[in-house]
Amino acid sequence: MAQNVAPPPATRPCSGQSCDACVVRDHAICADLNDDDRDALSRIGRRVTLQAGQTVMWEGDDSTVVANVIEGTLKLATSTGDGREQIVGVVYAADFIGRPFGTRTPHSVTALTDARLCLFPRGAFDGFAMHHGELQHRLLQRTLDDLDRTRDWMLLLGRKTAREKVATFLLDMGRRLRADADGVIDLPLSRQQIADILGTTIETVSRQMTDMKRTGVIDLVGRRGVRLVDRQALEALAEAG
Amino acid sequence: MAQNVAPPPATRPCSGQSCDACVVRDHAICADLNDDDRDALSRIGRRVTLQAGQTVMWEGDDSTVVANVIEGTLKLATSTGDGREQIVGVVYAADFIGRPFGTRTPHSVTALTDARLCLFPRGAFDGFAMHHGELQHRLLQRTLDDLDRTRDWMLLLGRKTAREKVATFLLDMGRRLRADADGVIDLPLSRQQIADILGTTIETVSRQMTDMKRTGVIDLVGRRGVRLVDRQALEALAEAG
DNA sequence: TCTCGTTTTTGACAGGGATCAAGGCATAAG
DNA sequence: CTTATGCCTTGATCCCTGTCAAAAACGAGA
């Protein structure tokens, strides 16, 4: 389903395995914990590997687990009764997923690429967090940032045209993802998923991208590759069609 | 601009004025503080009264204040360079507004009705919160809830039809606002503001409401009044047009 | 290199909602 | 009670996007 890096070794508990080598330890919510506390937290959790396409949590389910993303990209989504889907967030390495301090999972979480998580039972995590203000503070900061970003996205969904939506999306990916030597970004999303983020259809996304390619603003290479040739023009398109 | 209750006495510091009589003290984020701490917090803040239409914070401004809403309804909004506006949230009594632990105000805050706030300088509030875990926990809970609700709203903006949007909106107002003896809800929003919440136009909102009135699902009384005659039918409309 | 299945692009068409423009009603003022 | 002033509603028209359908391109595997 995705053209990704080879999956990591296996699923095993964090306990007995140090966080020292963790690549996201300085960026995840555990960054402010001292070594002892971080060890204590790691003993609650375990490493889990996911394959692209796997769903970790379903909308409406009981909230039983939360997790740090160690590696990979995942989507958060909700859908209507008749199957229309809206992606409400995309999370990357070091991000936090799940609903702490609440009983219901508000949206599904699905891996877009192969991914690794540091997974905690929610109850245990909540208990730990209640006694560790640094952790809650970090979580609060992150949640406030998420809320700001989410509200910004509402402007896109409610008020922007298809062209503005696609341009905004591409700039956003350009900011979040690293381009290769040729300046090409490898999108972790299919056209359908892009449409589900932007609240449009796959055909509209495709047409807008083709137009932008024709006018030289971007370049499309293969299915998932994009080069942002003229960022300034793209920014203009993102603002007012 | 609005047909509301008479404005309260005046602007005066909370200091010297007890929180004992505060109508939202059991529901706002200060609910879990003990009496001493709550007094200390109240000494940081001051009461402010707003008239309908007044803006407290502007999008992009430095984040200098945060506040509890004591009474009234306010909107949070962002807009594009060319003036299209999207309302990203509506806040009621006991809700919290402003951006703690951050330097930038992400969206404007404007009173929809006359309102009263308990206003804090952000720096002082942040400092206080850093030493009071209960407060941060409460704020975290509230922010997580806001995020869940906001993401739900993305589904409406991105995937629902005009009819579904209006039906969902009316049900939401029915849940949040109390109807009078005749079952009539007094909307705190104009048609334009409703359109700005739903990501449509004033004409579309008007047409949808008129249709629903014609089919007997709702009843319109005056400019701001609505009676939800058939909630079940409304719920059906909210789900699939 | 060729084939097959999937994803993406392209085309034709239509419909929902935006836009433009009056007209009708509440609400407030005289 | 009468007159203004904005809202709100209604009407006519257009166009952006969604929908349906098919061709093309890509990438995986033989």
Side-chain angles (χ1 to χ4, degrees), chain B:
Chain B
M1 187 171 198
Q3 71 308 24
N4 272 76
V5 281
T11 302
R12 57 174 174 170
C14 284
S15 29
Q17 172 188 345
S18 156
C19 291
D20 294 348
C22 179
V23 288
V24 299
R25 56 169 280 187
D26 293 330
H27 300 98
I29 54 165
C30 32
D32 293 337
L33 295 175
N34 63 40
D35 290 349
D36 286 351
D37 287 342
R38 185 163 42 228
D39 279 356
L41 179 59
S42 85
R43 250 171 269 122
I44 295 172
R46 60 198 176 86
R47 298 270 170 110
V48 171
T49 69
L50 296 172
Q51 294 185 308
Q54 269 192 289
T55 296
V56 207
M57 308 174 195
W58 276 266
E59 177 180 3
D61 273 11
D62 286 347
S63 173
T64 56
V65 292
V66 298
N68 280 319
V69 178
I70 299 173
E71 186 188 347
T73 309
L74 301 91
K75 68 168 181 177
L76 317 181
T78 18
S79 42
T80 60
D82 59 336
R84 285 168 285 173
E85 177 168 304
Q86 177 66 47
I87 294 182
V88 297
V90 179
V91 296
Y92 303 85
D95 285 344
F96 182 83
I97 56 179
R99 180 54 161 92
F101 304 115
T103 55
R104 188 176 163 281
T105 299
H107 41 252
S108 70
V109 180
T110 304
L112 294 172
T113 64
D114 291 342
R116 273 190 305 157
L117 305 180
C118 188
L119 196 77
F120 307 96
R122 185 188 56 87
F125 178 87
D126 285 358
F128 183 91
M130 281 308 255
H131 298 111
H132 296 270
E134 327 86 280
L135 189 70
Q136 276 201 65
H137 178 69
R138 195 90 189 194
L139 193 53
L140 175 58
Q141 284 267 26
R142 193 174 278 277
T143 309
L144 287 165
D145 283 343
D146 279 353
L147 186 55
D148 288 347
R149 260 198 305 277
T150 304
R151 283 176 165 156
D152 276 348
W153 211 252
M154 291 178 82
L155 180 66
L156 175 143
L157 289 174
R159 291 299 183 204
K160 290 197 173 180
T161 64
R163 167 139 319 183
E164 292 169 330
K165 285 179 176 181
V166 172
T168 306
F169 168 79
L170 290 173
L171 286 168
D172 192 59
M173 293 316 265
R175 240 171 271 125
R176 279 224 196 344
L177 270 26
R178 179 152 297 285
D180 69 11
D182 297 337
V184 176
I185 298 165
D186 188 47
L187 300 176
L189 302 145
S190 70
R191 293 288 186 272
Q192 181 59 62
Q193 288 161 344
I194 296 173
D196 288 342
I197 287 182
L198 300 179
T200 8
T201 59
I202 183 174
E203 294 95 332
T204 297
V205 172
S206 178
R207 275 189 254 267
Q208 293 301 335
M209 285 188 151
T210 311
D211 276 8
M212 290 180 190
K213 176 177 180 174
R214 196 154 33 71
T215 53
V217 178
I218 63 171
D219 202 16
L220 299 172
V221 4
R223 280 189 180 167
R224 299 289 184 107
V226 204
R227 184 178 13 241
L228 309 187
V229 179
D230 187 347
R231 263 172 210 263
Q232 210 160 350
L234 213 48
E235 263 150 28
L237 290 179
E239 281 300 307

Side-chain angles (χ1 to χ4, degrees), chain A residues 171-225:
Chain A
L171 286 168
D172 193 60
M173 293 315 265
R175 239 170 271 127
R176 282 230 201 331
L177 269 27
R178 178 152 298 287
D180 68 13
D182 297 336
V184 175
I185 299 165
D186 188 48
L187 300 176
L189 301 146
S190 69
R191 294 286 185 273
Q192 180 59 61
Q193 287 162 345
I194 296 173
D196 288 342
I197 288 182
L198 300 179
T200 6
T201 59
I202 184 175
E203 294 94 334
T204 297
V205 172
S206 178
R207 276 188 253 267
Q208 293 301 335
M209 286 189 150
T210 311
D211 276 9
M212 290 180 189
K213 176 178 182 173
R214 194 155 33 73
T215 54
V217 178
I218 63 171
D219 202 17
L220 299 173
V221 4
R223 283 193 176 165
R224 299 291 184 102

